[in-house]
Structure formats: structure tokens, C-alpha cells
């Protein structure tokens, strides 16, 4: 069969290849339909790659939600349980301090492990499992030696979760997506804390402390399931530790660990946070202790006469239970008294007061974390840290100069402001300060260790001040520590400016 087509068309077909487009032939003709087809295929590939990544990021949010109740183990409920087992408060304090110190000392090496390992998902799941096993075992073996060992294990596991989560976050979203994702992580975490606090309060009251153990187990199981939904292929482990693949060959090597103490901005950040936690660490415990002390002093005046209570109990259907401080969690008073339930009544009860402090602060932290992430993306991190450092002295002034249960509301809202801002700012700042070193998670662990020193010493210092000068002086002294941190941060503004810039 003869080919009667024009010579130009023959030439075009000779050079045409269905698997590639030629750009080196002046006479080559590009098929518009082929361009559209290739564009559609490219878009489909992008969507296909983005969907699992999006699923992994959503799973990361669920991990943060469920881990909120797991990271710190039983927390304040441990003390309540051990008191029921006949322990003294001094022994409880020693055991919990040992666990806290163990976690603090382990944070930096565990951060280095999070940098080095590719098994970050396994690291989170293992630590969550360890916390649950260690906590549940206390139910059956509440001896001093075993509980001490349990708290050491819980402290170390909780210390490992923070750097591992930071590595997962950075590995999934990279430096450019880190700031908004930190805001979402914190929002999910605080939401989990609210859910856990409310659930523990309700179920603990209705069914006893065993229900709190069960709730924590359920939350841990949820965190393990969520972390397994994160696809391993979506995690860039080099980016997760702060390395940059500028030439796409992945041959960049981590710096030496000396970068952690040679980084002046990192040292300034750590010192600032240590001063902040000097002031912040004892603030919430002091609030609870103050209310408990006031309730104890006023219990004799509020206690009704037994004969009056028995005579009026059957007739007064609208009466409440015994006044604050007399009923115990899970065992409300059997006899009602003539006292109408009010907000002030609830805030005078140490148990209700403590629950309210947690819920108010955590609810405040959710929107603050999201707003902080948005602000940091535009304006950077410097002002976020300034705002957090300013909030704590104001909080101390209110707590010290307004001796009312209603002071709980502004005091804990300010706590939510400070914690919400720092939850976004600190990991983001460390990631920028150590970008390219390969030791971001080790650096975050080091900063957490230094700030842990302040948090650990704060209750002891505050306790001495309360014993000698009272609660008001203690609150004002704690506020002064935060002022010192603010002065340090402002004085070193030029040194940390590069890491604090917005995107």
C-alpha cells in the first residue's frame, strides 16, 4: 500500500514516540490530547500520594488525643489510690519524685534515640504499653519497691513519647508544615486531656478508682491503634531528625552532639523555660492546697449537728450532700444538709476544685494552640514566648491578691494561655535552631530536661515559702521567677531573632 501522505507528516510520524515528547526537533508536533492525558495522570498520581499522607496526619492527631491520658501515667490519682492503701504523703512524694527525676534524666538520650531510629511508631506504641502495664500492676502489688519501680518505668516511657511524637510530626509534614501541625497536635492533646479528666472524674466517682485505671487502658489502646495507622512510607526519617536533602542524594550526615551546648539560642531558650517552670511548676498544686487548707479550717463551722440533720433530712428533698471537704470521691455523704448547690460551693470543694482547674486550663489551651500556630506562621515565635512569660506573673498576682475560689477561672485560663503558646512555640523553635544538625529531637529532649529542673524544684521552694510567709507571698515569689525569664528572653532578642522569624 502506497503512502500518499505529505512529506512533513511522514517526517513527524517517524520522530513521534508514544512514550515521550520530543523537544529537540523543530518540526515535532505536540499532540494536545497527549498533553491533557499526561496532565491527568500526573494529577492522579499526586492525589494518590497525598491521600495516604493525609490519612497518616489524621492518625497523628488521634495519637495525640489518646496519649494525653497515658503520658503521665495515673498522675494525681496515684496519690489518692496509695493513700487508700495506707501510704503516708511523705512516702508518696518520694516515690513520685523518683519517677519524675528518672524521666527527666532520660529525656535527652531518648531524644537522641528518636533521632537515630526508624522505628518511631514502635517507640510510641511500646512506651504506651509500658505505662499501662506498670500502672495496672500497682493495683495488685502496691508495695513501696514495686510502686517505685513502676514510677521509674512510667517516667522513662513518658519522657520518650515527647521526642518520638515530635520526630513523627516533623517526618510527616516537614519544616514548612511543622508550625500549623504543632497547633493541631496540641489542640488534639488538650482535647484528650479534657475528655480524660471528665471521664476519670465521673467514672471514678461512680465506680471507684479502678475505673480510672480502666479508662487509661482504653486510651492507651486507642493510641496504639492510631499510631499503627500512620504509614511507615509517609515518614521521612532524615527530615524527622532535622537533616536537609538539598541535593536529593541523602548523603548529609548529622553533626556531633556538641552542637547542643554550642548553640547559644538553644541555651537561651532552655534557661528561659527553666525560669518559667520555676514559677509555673508549683502554681497549680498551691491552688489545690490552699483550697484544701481553707476547707479543713472551716469544716468545724460547716459541720451540721447530727440530730438536726436527722430531723430535717427526710423533709428536705432539695438539700445537697455534706459541705465541701467532708464527702469523699465515690462515697458522698449519706445525710443531706440545708445547703443549696452553687458554683461557690463546688469551688470550695477540693476535689471539684482540682477537676475544674484541669478542665478550664485544657479548654483554654485548645483555641490558643490553634491561634498560636497561625500567628507563628505569619509573625514568628518570639512574641508567643513573650506572651507566655507575661501570662504567668499576672496569674501569680491574681492568685496571690484575690483570695477567692472564683480566682480559679482567670488563673487557670492564663495557665491555658501560657501552656498553649509554649506547646507550639518550643518544638517549633528547637526545630529551627537545630535545623540541618540531625539532632532536633535530642535538642528538644535537652530543653525538656533543663525545664524539668525548674519544674522539679518549684514545689519545694514554694513549700518553704508557704510555711514561712503564707500562700500570698509564695504566689508572688513564683511570679518573680517568670519575670526573670521574661527579662532574659527580651535581653537576648537579637541572638534568637533568626530562629523566631515567621514563614
Amino acid at each position: 500500500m502506497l503512502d500518499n501522505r505529505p512529506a512533513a507528516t511522514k517526517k513527524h510520524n517517524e520522530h513521534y514516540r508514544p512514550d515521550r515528547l520530543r523537544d529537540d526537533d523543530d518540526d515535532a508536533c505536540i499532540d494536545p490530547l497527549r498533553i491533557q492525558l499526561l496532565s491527568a495522570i500526573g494529577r492522579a498520581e499526586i492525589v494518590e500520594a497525598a491521600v495516604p499522607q493525609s490519612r497518616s496526619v489524621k492518625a497523628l492527631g488521634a495519637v495525640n488525643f489518646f496519649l494525653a491520658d497515658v503520658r503521665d501515667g495515673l498522675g494525681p490519682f496515684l496519690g489518692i489510690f496509695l493513700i487508700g492503701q495506707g501510704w503516708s504523703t511523705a512516702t508518696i512524694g518520694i516515690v513520685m519524685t523518683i519517677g519524675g527525676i528518672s524521666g527527666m534524666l532520660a529525656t535527652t538520650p531518648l531524644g537522641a534515640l528518636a533521632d537515630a531510629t526508624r522505628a518511631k511508631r514502635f517507640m510510641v506504641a511500646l512506651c504506651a504499653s509500658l505505662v499501662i502495664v506498670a500502672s495496672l500492676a500497682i493495683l495488685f502489688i502496691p508495695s513501696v519497691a514495686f510502686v517505685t519501680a513502676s514510677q521509674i518505668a512510667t517516667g522513662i516511657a513518658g519522657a520518650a513519647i515527647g521526642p518520638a511524637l515530635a520526630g513523627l510530626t516533623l517526618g510527616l509534614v516537614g519544616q514548612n508544615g511543622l508550625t500549623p501541625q504543632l497547633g493541631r497536635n496540641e489542640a488534639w492533646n488538650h482535647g484528650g486531656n479534657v475528655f480524660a479528666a471528665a471521664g476519670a472524674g465521673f467514672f471514678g466517682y461512680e465506680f471507684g478508682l479502678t475505673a480510672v485505671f480502666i479508662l487509661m487502658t482504653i486510651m492507651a489502646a486507642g493510641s496504639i491503634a492510631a499510631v499503627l495507622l500512620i504509614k511507615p512510607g509517609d515518614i521521612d526519617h532524615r527530615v524527622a531528625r532535622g537533616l536537609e536533602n538539598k541535593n536529593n542524594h541523602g548523603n548529609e550526615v548529622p553533626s556531633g552532639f556538641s552542637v547542643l551546648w554550642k548553640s547559644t539560642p538553644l541555651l537561651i531558650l532552655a534557661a528561659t523555660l527553666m525560669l518559667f517552670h520555676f514559677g509555673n511548676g508549683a502554681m497549680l498544686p498551691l491552688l489545690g492546697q490552699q483550697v484544701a487548707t481553707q476547707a479543713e479550717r472551716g469544716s468545724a463551722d460547716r459541720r451540721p449537728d447530727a440530730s438536726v440533720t436527722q430531723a430535717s433530712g427526710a423533709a428536705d428533698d432539695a438539700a445537697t450532700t455534706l459541705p465541701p471537704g467532708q464527702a469523699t470521691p465515690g462515697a458522698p455523704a449519706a445525710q443531706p444538709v440545708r445547703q443549696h448547690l452553687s458554683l461557690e460551693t463546688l469551688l470550695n470543694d477540693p476535689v471539684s476544685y482540682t477537676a475544674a482547674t484541669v478542665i478550664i486550663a485544657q479548654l483554654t489551651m485548645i483555641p490558643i494552640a490553634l491561634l498560636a500556630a497561625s500567628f507563628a506562621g505569619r509573625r514568628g515565635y518570639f512574641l508567643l514566648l513573650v506572651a507566655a512569660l507575661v501570662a504567668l506573673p499576672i496569674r501569680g498576682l491574681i492568685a496571690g491578691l484575690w483570695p477567692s475560689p472564683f480566682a480559679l477561672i482567670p488563673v487557670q485560663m492564663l495557665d491555658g494561655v501560657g501552656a498553649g503558646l509554649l506547646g507550639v512555640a518550643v518544638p517549633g523553635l528547637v526545630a529551627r535552631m537545630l535545623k540541618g544538625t540531625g539532632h532536633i529531637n535530642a535538642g528538644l529532649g535537652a530543653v525538656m530536661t533543663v525545664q524539668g529542673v525548674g519544674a522539679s524544684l518549684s514545689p519545694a521552694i514554694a513549700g518553704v515559702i508557704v510555711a514561712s510567709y503564707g500562700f500570698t507571698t509564695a504566689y508572688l515569689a513564683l511570679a518573680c521567677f517568670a519575670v526573670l525569664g521574661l527579662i532574659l528572653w527580651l535581653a537576648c532578642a537579637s541572638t534568637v531573632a533568626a530562629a523566631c522569624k515567621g514563614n
Side-chain angles (χ1 to χ4, degrees):
M1 183 176 179
L2 297 176
D3 189 350
N4 297 321
R5 291 175 299 171
T9 304
K10 292 181 183 179
K11 183 177 182 181
H12 163 65
N13 284 342
E14 289 171 1
H15 290 286
Y16 181 80
R17 295 290 185 271
D19 58 333
R20 60 188 177 95
L21 292 175
R22 291 182 54 90
D23 55 4
D24 57 349
D25 195 318
D26 294 335
D27 295 330
C29 179
I30 301 176
D31 188 351
L33 292 178
R34 176 171 167 75
I35 294 176
Q36 294 178 11
L37 178 61
L38 291 175
S39 299
I41 293 174
R43 287 194 298 269
E45 290 175 348
I46 293 173
V47 171
E48 184 180 357
V51 169
Q53 178 104 7
S54 175
R55 290 173 183 170
S56 294
V57 171
K58 290 178 180 177
L60 180 65
V63 172
N64 279 275
F65 178 88
F66 286 113
L67 280 178
D69 191 42
V70 178
R71 236 187 245 198
D72 300 324
L74 290 169
F77 294 102
L78 175 63
I80 298 174
F81 172 76
L82 294 177
I83 286 175
Q85 299 293 316
W87 284 46
S88 68
T89 54
T91 305
I92 294 172
I94 292 173
V95 168
M96 295 181 73
T97 300
I98 292 173
I101 292 174
S102 300
M104 182 179 67
L105 295 176
T107 304
T108 302
L110 288 172
L113 176 62
D115 280 327
T117 184
R118 300 179 66 87
K120 295 177 178 63
R121 300 187 314 146
F122 175 77
M123 189 172 174
V124 172
L126 177 64
C127 291
S129 303
L130 182 59
V131 170
I132 290 305
V133 172
S135 300
L136 286 177
I138 296 175
L139 276 173
F140 306 101
I141 315 175
S143 65
V144 174
F146 191 87
V147 173
T148 302
S150 169
Q151 287 305 289
I152 292 174
T154 300
I156 294 174
I161 288 175
L165 275 180
L168 282 174
T169 303
L170 188 56
L172 284 172
V173 302
Q175 285 277 358
N176 292 334
L178 181 61
T179 300
Q181 186 58 43
L182 286 174
R184 289 190 288 268
N185 283 0
E186 288 298 304
W188 279 111
N189 179 265
H190 300 315
N193 275 316
V194 172
F195 176 83
F202 175 78
F203 291 111
Y205 183 85
E206 292 291 334
F207 305 107
L209 282 173
T210 303
V212 178
F213 285 81
I214 296 174
L215 176 64
M216 190 174 68
T217 302
I218 294 172
M219 295 285 281
S223 68
I224 294 172
V227 80
L228 292 178
L229 291 176
I230 298 176
K231 292 183 175 294
D234 291 341
I235 306 168
D236 188 328
H237 291 281
R238 295 184 59 79
V239 173
R241 65 183 304 173
L243 294 177
E244 301 178 81
N245 296 327
K246 292 181 179 179
N247 54 10
N248 293 324
H249 293 302
N251 55 2
E252 187 180 11
V253 296
S255 306
F257 280 102
S258 62
V259 71
L260 298 183
W261 57 83
K262 289 182 179 178
S263 172
T264 303
L266 188 70
L267 296 177
I268 293 170
L269 176 65
T272 301
L273 292 175
M274 182 179 69
L275 290 170
F276 175 88
H277 284 280
F278 258 123
N280 186 69
M283 194 78 73
L284 179 56
L286 280 187
L287 289 170
Q289 292 171 26
Q290 185 177 19
V291 172
T293 301
Q294 292 170 350
E296 182 66 25
R297 289 175 180 173
S299 60
D301 296 334
R302 293 193 303 266
R303 195 184 307 277
D305 183 77
S307 60
V308 174
T309 302
Q310 293 173 359
S312 61
D316 194 354
D317 294 331
T320 64
T321 58
L322 282 177
Q326 297 183 31
T328 58
Q335 297 294 338
V337 296
R338 291 183 181 277
Q339 180 174 310
H340 295 288
L341 189 64
S342 66
L343 177 61
E344 186 171 7
T345 300
L346 289 173
L347 294 181
N348 277 315
D349 175 25
V351 176
S352 301
Y353 189 90
T354 302
T357 58
V358 175
I359 292 174
I360 290 174
Q362 295 293 332
L363 284 176
T364 306
M365 292 175 196
I366 296 174
I368 289 296
L370 295 173
L371 290 173
S374 176
F375 181 88
R378 301 190 310 271
R379 302 288 301 276
Y381 293 105
F382 185 82
L383 291 179
L384 292 184
L385 213 64
V386 170
L389 292 167
V390 168
L392 183 55
I394 298 174
R395 185 181 174 216
L397 288 173
I398 295 174
L401 302 178
W402 186 16
S404 166
F406 290 102
L408 161 74
I409 298 173
V411 165
Q412 285 308 99
M413 287 184 70
L414 287 170
D415 181 39
V417 170
L421 294 174
L422 291 180
V424 173
V426 174
L429 278 170
V430 173
R432 289 191 177 187
M433 291 173 177
L434 297 179
K435 183 178 180 181
T437 65
H439 295 302
I440 284 180
N441 298 299
L444 180 60
V447 169
M448 293 170 66
T449 298
V450 174
Q451 74 179 28
V453 173
S456 299
L457 295 178
S458 180
I461 295 173
V464 172
I465 297 174
V466 169
S468 303
Y469 305 103
F471 283 99
T472 297
T473 305
Y475 288 128
L476 297 179
L478 293 175
C480 289
F481 283 113
V483 172
L484 292 175
L486 176 61
I487 293 173
L488 174 63
W489 186 249
L490 292 175
C492 300
S494 58
T495 305
V496 299
C500 291
K501 290 181 181 178
N503 294 331

